[in-house]
């Protein structure tokens, strides 16, 4: 889609201080641009229109934190999966849709708030459910690191399905 | 097995079920019910004397019903912990065992024990079950006695199994001469499960080899769609067995009929020769697939995890986060997450253990509170949110105002919609945030002074 | 869909606002609970829900309309009623709702008419409303539709039983004349609050409905009426058992006889002597059980749900508070099937009633065992008791009035102003009833009684002490009510909003 | 309703399949609300086709596309709903 057009579209929107297009915003150089902008322009909300938040949202949140901003003042708009991937042959319509999504993202960004965090002291023990070959190995591994492990098995004996096997491939060892 | 049971850092709780779960990463509260064995674990020596005195005989589940066990039994000779257990459903209360036990370990008045524990992380390794072929009677399993599964063959091949390592036809007790093995029963099928069960090819190859070693004259035919032996050394293993005079037929048998002489006739399409034909066999062994265990389903319900369309537990990312679930402190491994061979199961178990240990190596965890929030000035105390919440995270305080339990709330938002007074909002996912988003998607711009709204499209 | 053409954006906006209404939302979510409670079927549930929705929708549209006006008055309300082709009375009722929900403030403007001699003292005449909207956002208002629990707690529950009779989840009941609520079952739909005569009661509006008037005006101490008579029954079975003139029973007798009603609601004596309980009358034989005045209060409307569903016709005989809640629920039609079935409202005069416990105390004062009492009566300011042995004793009302129910202190209504026809003894000679005809329904019924030769009737002017006496006593009750309400207000106690 | 108020002619709610909700049975809770809204739309004279709930898992691409096409078709058959008017100042 037409990224320059998108930038021109969002620039005059209320509250928008700066809009940039950039290849690979998630790269180091892209990250630095955001960081510098936050510091120099005193930004308090960041909207990134790029790929899925599933992968890079943590990356960007980290940048916000580095720049001294709450990581929750960040909003990601997925114009890759939602626009360029699914509307490959309709460039103009895809751009139009991206505008709407961006507008939604910017609108939401205005209302963003800091989410409080709670500090939890971690209980140094683990529960392993199922004492088959996987459960036993996991339990032993943890136990060997000095962690207290509860190994719970619904049957009367541990070993699981593997105890039923006579030999195991490809080594033909005994199953038990 | 013995290592696991003897390790000082492992509290082994067998014959137990998880019955309740709450809390968040780093601080889970789990309630475990230790089902009664009717045998005192501290006194039982595992001598097995009681089992010889018990008058009840039922099919032995461990040996897949080929052998028998009594109502008081030790699952198998190398069982860990080696303790007797009484199956109350079949027990006739004759108390012979009580009289026989030299350690006075039989305790008919024992009751279920409820144990509450606090843990920082959870690993789920609830394993697999065999494809329930008894329900579908594929290849007349359950109808013709000499149609068995690989696990049943496995038990017969075991020197400690019900037949002492010898293979017999169930119908007449003779050693079979012609054995058919059918792969992909219940797997890679449009009628049953679409997925590959990952281990059946190798299991069949291994058992064919064991049979060949025991009975060199035996005719073994393996019917396959594709032989999938993808892991380290497995292809070599396959080549080796192929060289041992085992017959391989590419094509899945379509029908099975019982002949007058007790043998079974398989009809099949030899796809490599384009030839529809049939052959007679004494024993048919089905390589049944792997399905999620019943325990997995139960754990999904109690822990509130998600599972995929095939019923296996879902990881966050199939490639990069294969042992992690959406709940940060809960990890999955082994066949609970999908069919695996043993090395892969062990790898995933160690992966999960490593992930859990990484989490537990921290002293403090910072948890985002993406949870519901109650506006006390609007709350009417109608209890509706309390009834709606699946996680029992909302309760009314003494002033009849709803209170959210930070540890239990999962931030699902069900209470938000249930509140008639609109007193509940979800942090970071507030109604106002969505309303603004909707306005954006609908193309409505908000002017800076916030007083004028304008249509752009 | 064709009808979509007439929908405006403003309408959609009001629909959206209405969906935020506490009551509507409470009902939506409680569907399973309501249907499982077994009182209303799924169809009835939806009809109640949508009726409520429509009512709320109108209310919010009025609110939105008022918001656009700087100062609203009656003219503005008329404009709204014309625009939406609504009865002006309906608009008043919505206004009353908005007021009770604290969304608007209403100031009433009165004209003072100067005294013209002794005969006509100076008085205030209603002229106009001054309506001020002082809340912008409905969704931020804490709902006032609390369950009637607060009414119970503040001792102003009249024990009429309506709430228990309509509750969709059966969480209310009346014990010993006072309400009780099962908080766990309650879904907070506020239906009970809506029908309760002691939560808020639009008195002026109720008189207007009785009168079928479209203007707000002042009424006398006995409310709106068409005609007043003094009458007594000619039906022998009734005259043998009745308290005075037996007119209320005769009305039922006629209605059952002519298949005008399928059921009637009344009070009969329970197994505990002198303790009434509600009765669903099925035919005229049942009337005998209900004849005679009961001085202990009775939650007649509790059994409303016993004829849920089909299109029955029902008459209700009851005291003023019962009539009030019936008329109130008629004005705020909430689609409760059993309330829609009520076709005749026969009111009884009531000065105050006693709880069963206080009746026992009166017996103590009189040194009579309750089981010996044959008949009770209030006459000439005294409470009379006649025993089975033919003895008669009495005590001045003043001495026992502190034993009356506390809630009766806040009741302004002596003559069942909300009924179709009111019956009582005050104003007529002994053995006769004063009958106040209030509505067209009441008038038709009374005319039929005369036509069928079931009663003997005289204009009230022909008997002593007559209407002035009734007006005077009604005035006493009204003033007493005002006094008690002011007292309670001073103590910051909850009072009914009239 | 916010969507309708801001100019949408139809709303599709696409949720996980029955029994596969991440959060217990929130998808079925939503379904209850959608069912009510459809009834309400009928009651106030709006076509219930304007609001639909579809159940499809994240991986069911065809079903998702079919859902979107289904509601688009249904809503396109209906006249547009009234739009918010421009309020001067």
């Amino acid at each position: 889609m037409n990224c320059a057009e998108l930038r021109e579209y969002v620039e005059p929107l209320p509250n928008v201080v700066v809009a940039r297009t950039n290849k690979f915003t998630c790269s180091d150089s892209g990250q630095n641009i955001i960081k510098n902008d936050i510091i120099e322009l005193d930004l308090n909300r960041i909207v990134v229109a790029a790929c899925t938040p599933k992968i890079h949202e943590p990356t960007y949140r980290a940048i916000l934190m580095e720049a001294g901003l709450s990581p929750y003042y960040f909003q990601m708009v997925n114009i890759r999966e939602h626009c360029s991937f699914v509307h490959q042959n309709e460039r103009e319509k895809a751009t139009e849709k991206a505008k709407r999504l961006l507008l939604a993202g910017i609108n939401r960004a205005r209302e963003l708030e800091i989410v409080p965090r709670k500090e939890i002291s971690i209980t140094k023990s683990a529960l392993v459910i199922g004492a088959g070959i996987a459960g036993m190995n996991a339990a032993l591994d943890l136990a060997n690191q000095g962690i207290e492990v509860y190994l719970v098995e619904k049957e009367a004996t541990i070993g699981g399905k593997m105890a039923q096997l006579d030999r195991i491939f490809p080594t033909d060892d005994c199953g038990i | 097995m013995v290592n696991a049971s003897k390790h000082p850092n492992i509290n082994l709780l067998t014959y137990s079920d998880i019955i309740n779960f709450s809390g968040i990463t780093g601080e889970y509260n789990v309630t475990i019910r230790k089902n009664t064995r009717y045998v005192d674990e501290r006194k039982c020596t595992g001598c097995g004397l009681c089992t010889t005195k018990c008058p009840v005989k039922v099919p032995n589940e461990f040996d897949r019903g080929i052998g028998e066990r009594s109502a008081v039994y030790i699952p198998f000779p190398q069982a860990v912990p080696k303790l007797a257990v009484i199956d109350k459903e079949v027990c006739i209360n004759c108390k012979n065992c009580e009289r026989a036990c030299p350690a006075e370990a039989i305790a008919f008045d024992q009751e279920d024990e409820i144990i509450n524990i606090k843990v920082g992380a959870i690993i789920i390794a609830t394993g697999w079950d065999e494809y329930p072929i008894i329900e579908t009677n594929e290849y007349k399993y359950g109808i013709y006695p000499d149609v068995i599964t690989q696990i049943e063959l496995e038990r017969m091949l075991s020197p400690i199994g019900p037949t002492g390592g010898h293979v017999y036809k169930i119908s007449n007790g003779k050693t079979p001469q012609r054995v058919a093995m059918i792969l992909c029963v219940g797997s890679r099928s449009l009628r049953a499960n679409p997925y590959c069960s990952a281990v059946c090819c190798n299991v069949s190859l291994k058992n064919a080899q064991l049979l060949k070693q025991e009975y060199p004259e035996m005719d073994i035919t393996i019917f396959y769609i594709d032989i999938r032996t993808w892991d380290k050394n497995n292809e070599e293993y396959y080549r080796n067995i192929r060289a041992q005079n085992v017959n391989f037929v590419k094509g899945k048998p379509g029908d099975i009929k019982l002949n007058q002489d007790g043998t079974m006739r398989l009809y099949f399409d030899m796809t490599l020769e384009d030839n529809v034909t049939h052959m007679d066999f004494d024993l048919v062994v089905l390589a049944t697939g792997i399905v999620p265990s019943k325990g997995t389903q139960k754990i999904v319900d109690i822990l509130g995890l998600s599972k995929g369309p095939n019923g296996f537990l879902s990881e966050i990312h199939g490639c990069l986060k294969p042992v992690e679930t959406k709940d940060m402190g809960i990890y999955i491994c082994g066949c609970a997450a999908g069919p695996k061979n043993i090395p892969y199961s062990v790898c995933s178990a160690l992966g999960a253990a490593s992930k859990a240990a990484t989490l537990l190596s921290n002293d403090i965890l910072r948890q985002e509170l993406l949870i519901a929030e109650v506006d006390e000035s609007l709350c009417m105390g109608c209890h509706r949110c309390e009834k709606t919440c699946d996680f029992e995270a909302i309760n009314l305080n003494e002033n009849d105002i709803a209170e959210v339990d930070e540890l239990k709330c999962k931030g699902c938002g069900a209470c938000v919609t249930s509140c008639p007074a609109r007193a509940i909002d979800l942090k970071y996912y507030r109604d106002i945030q969505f309303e603004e988003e909707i306005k954006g998607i609908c193309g409505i711009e908000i002017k800076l002074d916030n007083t004028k709204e304008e249509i752009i499209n | 869909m064709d009808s979509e053409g007439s929908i405006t954006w403003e309408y959609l906006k009001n629909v959206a606002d209405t969906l935020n209404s506490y009551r509507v939302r409470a009902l939506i979510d409680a569907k399973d609970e309501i249907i499982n409670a077994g009182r209303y079927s799924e169809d009835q549930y939806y009809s109640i829900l949508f009726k409520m929705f429509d009512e709320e929708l109108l209310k919010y549209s009025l609110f939105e309309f008022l918001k656009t006006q700087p100062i609203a008055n009656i003219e503005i309300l008329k404009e709204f009623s014309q625009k939406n082709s609504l009865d002006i009375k309906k608009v008043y009722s919505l206004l009353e709702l908005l007021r009770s929900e604290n969304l608007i403030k209403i100031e009433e403007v009165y004209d003072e008419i100067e005294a013209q001699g002794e005969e006509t003292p100076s008085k205030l005449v209603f002229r106009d409303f001054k309506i001020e909207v002082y809340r912008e956002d409905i969704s931020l208002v804490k709902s006032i539709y609390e369950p009637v629990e607060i009414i119970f707690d503040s001792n102003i529950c009249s024990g009429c039983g309506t709430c228990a009779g309509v509750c969709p989840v059966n969480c209310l009941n009346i014990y010993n004349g006072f309400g009780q609520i099962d908080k766990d079952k309650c879904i907070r739909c506020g239906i009970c609050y809506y029908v309760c005569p002691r939560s808020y009661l639009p008195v002026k509006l109720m008189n207007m409905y009785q009168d079928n008037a479209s203007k707000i005006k002042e009424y006398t101490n006995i409310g709106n009426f068409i005609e007043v008579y003094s009458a007594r029954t000619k039906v022998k079975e009734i005259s043998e058992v009745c308290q005075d003139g037996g007119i209320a029973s005769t009305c039922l007798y006629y209605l059952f006889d002519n298949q005008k009603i399928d059921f009637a609601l009344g009070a009969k004596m329970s197994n505990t002597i002198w303790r009434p309980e509600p009765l669903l009358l099925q035919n005229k034989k049942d009337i005998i059980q209900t004849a005679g005045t009961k001085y202990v209060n009775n939650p007649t409307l509790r059994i409303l749900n016993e004829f849920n569903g089909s299109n029955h016709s029902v008459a209700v005989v009851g005291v003023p508070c019962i009539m009030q809640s019936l008329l109130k629920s008629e004005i705020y039609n909430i689609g409760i099937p059993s309330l829609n079935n009520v076709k005749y409202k026969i009111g009884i005069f009531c000065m105050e009633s006693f709880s069963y416990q206080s009746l026992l105390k009166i017996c103590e004062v009189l040194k009579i065992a309750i089981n010996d009492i044959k008949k009770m009566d209030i006459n000439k300011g005294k409470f009379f008791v006649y025993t089975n042995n033919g003895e008669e004793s009495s005590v001045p009302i003043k001495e026992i009035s502190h034993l009356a129910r506390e809630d009766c202190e806040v009741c302004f209504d002596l003559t069942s102003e909300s009924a179709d026809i009111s019956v009582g003894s005050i104003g007529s000679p002994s053995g006769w009833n004063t009958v106040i005809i209030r509505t067209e329904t009441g008038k038709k019924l009374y005319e039929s009684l005369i036509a069928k030769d079931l009663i003997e009737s005289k204009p009230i002017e022909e008997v002593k002490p007559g209407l002035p006496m009734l007006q005077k006593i009604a005035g006493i009750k009204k003033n007493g009510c005002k006094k008690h309400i002011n007292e309670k207000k001073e103590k910051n106690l909850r009072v009914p909003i009239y | 309703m916010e969507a309708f108020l801001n100019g949408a002619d139809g709303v599709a709610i696409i949720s996980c399949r029955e029994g596969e909700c991440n959060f217990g049975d929130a998808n079925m809770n939503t379904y209850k609300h959608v069912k009510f809204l459809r009834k309400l739309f009928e009651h106030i004279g709006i076509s219930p086709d304007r609001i639909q709930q579809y159940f499809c898992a994240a991986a069911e691409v065809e079903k998702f596309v079919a859902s979107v096409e289904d509601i688009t078709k249904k809503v396109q058959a209906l006249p547009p709903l009234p739009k918010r008017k421009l309020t001067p100042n």
Side-chain angles (χ1 to χ4, degrees), chain A residues 22-52:
Chain A
N22 192 359
K23 258 186 191 173
F24 305 118
T25 310
C26 54
S27 67
D28 269 357
S29 58
Q31 294 184 24
N32 281 333
I33 293 176
I34 297 179
K35 205 153 100 186
N36 289 340
D37 278 348
I38 294 174
I39 295 165
E40 277 165 26
L41 299 170
D42 199 17
L43 305 177
N44 59 9
R45 298 287 191 281
I46 306 296
V47 178
V48 170
C51 62
T52 163

Side-chain angles (χ1 to χ4, degrees), chain B residues 93-317:
Chain B
N93 278 326
C94 68
K95 312 225 165 155
N96 277 356
C97 48
E98 201 171 353
R99 286 186 286 275
C101 181
E104 296 180 348
I106 306 288
F108 277 97
D109 54 353
Q110 205 177 50
E111 278 174 11
D112 290 352
E113 198 183 329
I114 303 291
I115 301 165
N116 288 304
I117 58 167
K118 220 173 219 181
V119 292
I122 297 177
I123 293 175
I124 300 173
T126 42
W128 57 282
D129 277 345
E130 201 180 343
Y131 170 68
I133 192 168
I134 194 76
E135 289 164 17
T136 53
N137 299 119
E138 269 165 70
Y139 296 109
K140 298 289 193 296
Y141 176 87
I143 298 168
Y144 299 166
D146 294 328
V147 179
I148 62 171
T149 66
Q150 287 289 5
I151 295 275
E152 285 160 15
L153 177 65
E154 199 87 51
R155 290 316 301 149
M156 282 203 262
L157 282 168
S158 169
I160 54 151
T163 58
H166 304 292
V167 176
Y168 302 119
K169 286 184 70 172
I170 307 271
S171 58
N172 59 12
K174 288 183 186 158
T175 304
Q177 282 313 305
R178 292 161 299 174
V179 176
M181 289 188 177
I182 305 176
L183 304 190
C184 295
V185 178
S187 309
R188 302 183 69 199
S189 152
L190 294 176
R191 270 181 305 177
N193 294 315
Y195 52 86
C196 169
S197 293
V199 295
C200 337
C201 288
N202 270 322
V203 167
S204 303
L205 291 171
K206 179 205 70 184
N207 287 345
Q209 184 201 17
L210 293 178
L211 281 174
K212 223 37 192 174
Q213 282 169 6
E214 188 80 19
Y215 310 101
E217 290 84 47
M218 193 179 272
D219 267 339
I220 302 174
T221 309
I222 295 182
F223 293 93
Y224 67 98
I225 309 176
D226 305 290
I227 295 285
R228 297 185 161 190
T229 51
W230 58 276
D231 213 355
K232 186 181 179 186
N233 289 339
N234 287 353
E235 184 70 10
E236 296 90 319
Y237 191 71
Y238 166 46
R239 297 260 164 220
N240 183 20
I241 290 158
R242 234 187 142 124
Q244 290 179 20
N245 226 351
V246 174
N247 199 5
F248 283 84
V249 173
K250 186 173 171 78
K252 214 176 165 184
D255 201 5
I256 181 169
K257 287 220 165 78
L258 193 63
N259 296 328
Q260 296 249 312
D261 62 354
T263 60
M264 287 155 298
R265 179 161 294 181
L266 283 178
Y267 296 85
F268 54 95
D269 180 1
M270 288 175 62
T271 44
L272 295 179
E273 296 175 16
D274 196 14
N275 178 15
V276 179
T277 179
H278 58 82
M279 267 166 92
D280 290 342
F281 293 98
D282 297 321
L283 184 68
V284 175
V285 186
L286 309 177
T288 44
I290 283 176
V291 298
S293 70
K294 290 189 191 76
T296 304
Q297 178 57 47
K298 245 170 84 183
I299 293 298
V300 166
D301 291 345
I302 294 173
L303 267 56
L305 297 170
S306 49
K307 56 184 170 70
N310 295 323
F312 294 105
L313 292 167
S314 302
E315 60 283 316
I316 296 186
H317 194 282

